[in-house]
Amino acid sequence: MREIGKFIGRDNDSKVYKYENYAIKVFNPECNKTSVFYEATVASLMEEIGLPVARIHEVIKIDNQWAIKMDYIEGMNLGECIKQDRKNLVSYLEIMADLQIFIQQIKVHLSFNLHDSLKEKIENSCFVDELTKNKLLVKLSNLPRGTGLCHGDFNPFNVMKDKNEYFVINWIKAANGSQEADACKTYMSLNFVDEEMADLYLDIYSNKSKKCKQDILEWLPILAVAILDEGKEENKEKLLSWINTL
């Protein structure tokens, strides 16, 4: 791919470059057109609602790869802030929890519901046997469908700090669904990095949202199957252990 600016980061789906005052998010070749336009649409919708997000300018193609051109946000993500300023961990996690709760309470209708997406991933999973699939599907059917706004990948690395403002990025997995499920996904993301930090965030989120921790953790085996499909080999053992809690 031709030079498009300074490389500044990556995730499972894309690489991000800084070009002038913009961030160019270039998606992997296998990433489909629908997902790219969906992220751009959701982020634009969040901008119109007034959420702190990077303003989208256009969807483009660079050397046959889809890309989104958006505002470049100065500063660093909360994951980096926590690494550099561990003594203020509680304060950063409280900021995260406040942001997540605020987002979840926004009334907006998206194209996808998390419940339906999880059902499909369980049915199509190649990591669990048919008996386990059936148990997971029964469990999912007994969990609340929910209509809240779920970011889908809310973690410290998707929250950018610019001076005293905080911006939420990477909306490709956004959906309507259970707020408890969304919080559980955040707990899992933190748990992969630091179990103590994950437990602390769960306490903070639960206290602020008035949601029962056990109701949040009920989603662990369901979400673990979905994350297994993302192919993160280093987390496989822990994900399978959560599935085995059924």
Side-chain angles (χ1 to χ4, degrees):
M1 187 175 67
R2 69 177 184 271
E3 187 70 27
I4 56 172
K6 178 185 176 183
F7 173 75
I8 56 174
R10 68 183 304 159
D11 57 25
N12 285 342
D13 303 307
S14 62
K15 294 179 180 178
V16 184
Y17 301 84
K18 182 183 179 184
Y19 172 72
E20 296 179 346
N21 293 322
Y22 303 104
I24 310 291
K25 183 174 183 177
V26 183
F27 290 82
N28 299 337
E30 64 272 16
C31 200
N32 64 64
K33 179 179 179 180
T34 302
S35 297
V36 177
F37 275 85
Y38 180 71
E39 176 169 0
T41 299
V42 173
S44 297
L45 181 59
M46 296 305 109
E47 179 193 337
E48 288 185 3
I49 290 171
L51 271 177
V53 298
R55 186 174 46 156
I56 303 296
H57 292 277
E58 59 181 333
V59 176
I60 55 178
K61 259 195 167 183
I62 300 174
D63 292 347
N64 212 34
Q65 289 179 236
W66 288 104
I68 298 176
K69 181 180 178 181
M70 65 191 83
D71 282 349
Y72 173 75
I73 300 171
E74 296 283 354
M76 63 178 69
N77 62 59
L78 275 191
E80 294 167 333
C81 292
I82 289 170
K83 286 180 182 178
Q84 295 183 16
D85 188 20
R86 186 78 180 193
K87 68 180 183 296
N88 285 314
L89 173 63
V90 171
S91 296
Y92 289 126
L93 295 183
E94 286 181 341
I95 288 165
M96 268 187 65
D98 287 337
L99 265 174
Q100 186 166 32
I101 292 165
F102 177 71
I103 290 168
Q104 290 172 340
Q105 292 173 343
I106 291 171
K107 303 298 182 185
V108 61
H109 178 72
L110 299 180
S111 303
F112 298 101
N113 186 282
L114 181 61
H115 206 278
D116 297 333
S117 173
L118 291 171
K119 181 175 183 290
E120 183 178 350
K121 287 184 176 181
I122 292 169
E123 291 172 339
N124 295 328
S125 176
C126 60
F127 294 98
V128 293
D129 57 35
E130 290 302 316
L131 178 60
T132 304
K133 283 184 184 181
N134 289 333
K135 288 181 179 179
L136 287 164
L137 290 170
V138 169
K139 184 174 184 66
L140 178 62
S141 69
N142 290 321
L143 289 170
R145 183 176 177 84
T147 58
L149 173 57
C150 301
H151 178 275
D153 195 18
F154 191 84
N155 64 67
F157 298 98
N158 282 333
V159 179
M160 298 293 298
K161 183 179 187 294
D162 181 7
K163 299 182 178 68
N164 293 320
E165 289 188 274
Y166 296 88
F167 296 80
V168 182
I169 61 173
N170 295 334
W171 289 85
I172 196 167
K173 296 179 181 177
N176 291 121
S178 163
Q179 296 173 8
E180 287 86 352
D182 194 50
C184 187
K185 179 69 182 294
T186 300
Y187 168 81
M188 295 167 81
S189 297
L190 291 170
N191 195 285
F192 295 142
V193 178
D194 184 328
E195 292 184 12
E196 184 180 345
M197 180 165 61
D199 290 337
L200 180 56
Y201 183 77
L202 186 62
D203 286 338
I204 292 170
Y205 175 90
S206 178
N207 289 334
K208 285 178 173 286
S209 66
K210 309 303 180 188
K211 295 187 182 299
C212 173
K213 285 194 284 187
Q214 188 53 45
D215 289 344
I216 295 169
L217 296 177
E218 284 291 325
W219 289 89
L220 277 173
I222 304 291
L223 291 166
V225 176
I227 297 173
L228 271 173
D229 280 341
E230 295 174 5
K232 294 183 178 179
E233 192 66 30
E234 67 271 21
N235 300 324
K236 187 175 181 180
E237 185 176 340
K238 182 169 284 190
L239 291 166
L240 289 172
S241 73
W242 282 328
I243 294 170
N244 291 332
T245 62
L246 278 171

